[in-house]
Amino acid sequence: MNPATGDLAAALRVEFDRTGVVLPVSPRHDVACPSEHAVVGAGPRTTRVAAYDWDHLATPPIGKAYNIRCYDGTLGIADGWVPDLPTAAALAARWQSGSTAPALAAKFPLLGPVEMLAARERGDEREYMWHRYASNHRGWLHAPLVPFIVAAFHEPRLRALTPVVVSHMRVFSVRDPSLPARAYPCVTALADDVFRVWQRGGPDLGETDIAGSIALLLATP
């Protein structure tokens, strides 16, 4: 069955019945997205499943038939792609059973690092975003920028700040919530291990390697 053309809610019910799981499943219409959606659960804790039809692409992405988002109330706790309906149903059933976010990530690595979901669950947004960017969860970051972020992740003085990635995931910076007026430089990847460091509304600070870029960030007065 093409996951985006069938009845997703009904297919999930069949999968739950097959494995002896009793959970409410309802269809969900999202006008902003042509994919088919279903919601598992009826309380504060829910799992949203979306089926995607990639047949229009010459090279469909591997392992991305279903997108999963686990919620606690309105807060999104975990998200990721799964390759098939049984995996989607198993993940939803585990979350709806009361699993912690770290335990869910340990069982389903496609959700990202365990430490990332642990930070999300305890409300540590700074640590959550550092892990999300350093792991390039879901692959949205501009690829040449990732090695710099991984190196910045291991610099304690930067880890004390909040990471920010903007401009279509191509520009990295940090901010200090306690000093919102302090403007840290931005970093953009130009090539492998070549980065432009620049100040918003100001001059370029230089083009250098990873170590040099981190030094320029830390030199901000």
Side-chain angles (χ1 to χ4, degrees):
M1 180 187 78
N2 185 321
T5 58
D7 185 335
L8 178 58
L12 281 167
R13 290 191 199 100
V14 169
E15 191 62 34
F16 288 142
D17 289 344
R18 184 184 68 81
T19 55
V21 173
V22 179
L23 284 170
V25 187
S26 57
R28 176 177 178 267
H29 180 61
D30 188 340
V31 295
C33 185
S35 58
E36 189 176 358
H37 291 69
V39 178
V40 180
R45 179 175 283 217
T46 57
T47 307
R48 299 179 188 178
V49 183
Y52 282 76
D53 177 6
W54 302 108
D55 288 348
H56 63 288
L57 297 179
T59 307
I62 297 173
K64 291 188 175 183
Y66 299 88
N67 184 247
I68 304 290
R69 294 179 179 271
C70 302
Y71 284 82
D72 187 357
T74 59
L75 179 64
I77 298 294
D79 61 89
W81 292 95
V82 299
D84 51 55
L85 192 65
T87 304
L91 196 160
R94 179 66 65 101
W95 177 245
Q96 297 305 130
S97 73
S99 172
T100 65
L104 194 69
K107 180 68 175 178
F108 299 95
L110 55 96
L111 294 175
V114 170
E115 298 84 356
M116 181 180 83
L117 267 67
R120 184 65 160 173
E121 190 168 71
R122 67 176 181 266
D124 189 339
E125 189 69 9
R126 176 179 56 80
E127 272 297 287
Y128 169 72
M129 294 309 299
W130 270 116
H131 282 285
R132 192 174 183 94
Y133 290 145
S135 65
N136 195 14
H137 183 52
R138 301 188 66 171
W140 286 346
L141 290 170
H142 182 49
L145 186 59
V146 174
F148 170 82
I149 295 178
V150 171
F153 178 85
H154 294 288
E155 168 50 62
R157 289 170 291 177
L158 290 179
R159 281 286 289 280
L161 304 170
T162 300
V164 181
V165 179
V166 296
S167 298
H168 304 289
M169 298 296 170
R170 290 175 174 269
V171 177
F172 175 88
S173 189
V174 290
R175 62 182 178 85
D176 186 342
S178 66
L179 298 170
R182 175 179 289 179
Y184 284 87
C186 298
V187 179
T188 305
L190 299 179
D192 289 343
D193 201 28
V194 180
F195 302 88
R196 173 189 171 220
V197 184
W198 49 283
Q199 192 68 262
R200 291 185 184 277
D204 280 10
L205 301 178
E207 295 181 8
T208 182
D209 59 10
I210 288 176
S213 300
I214 289 176
L216 287 171
L217 273 179
L218 292 172
T220 300

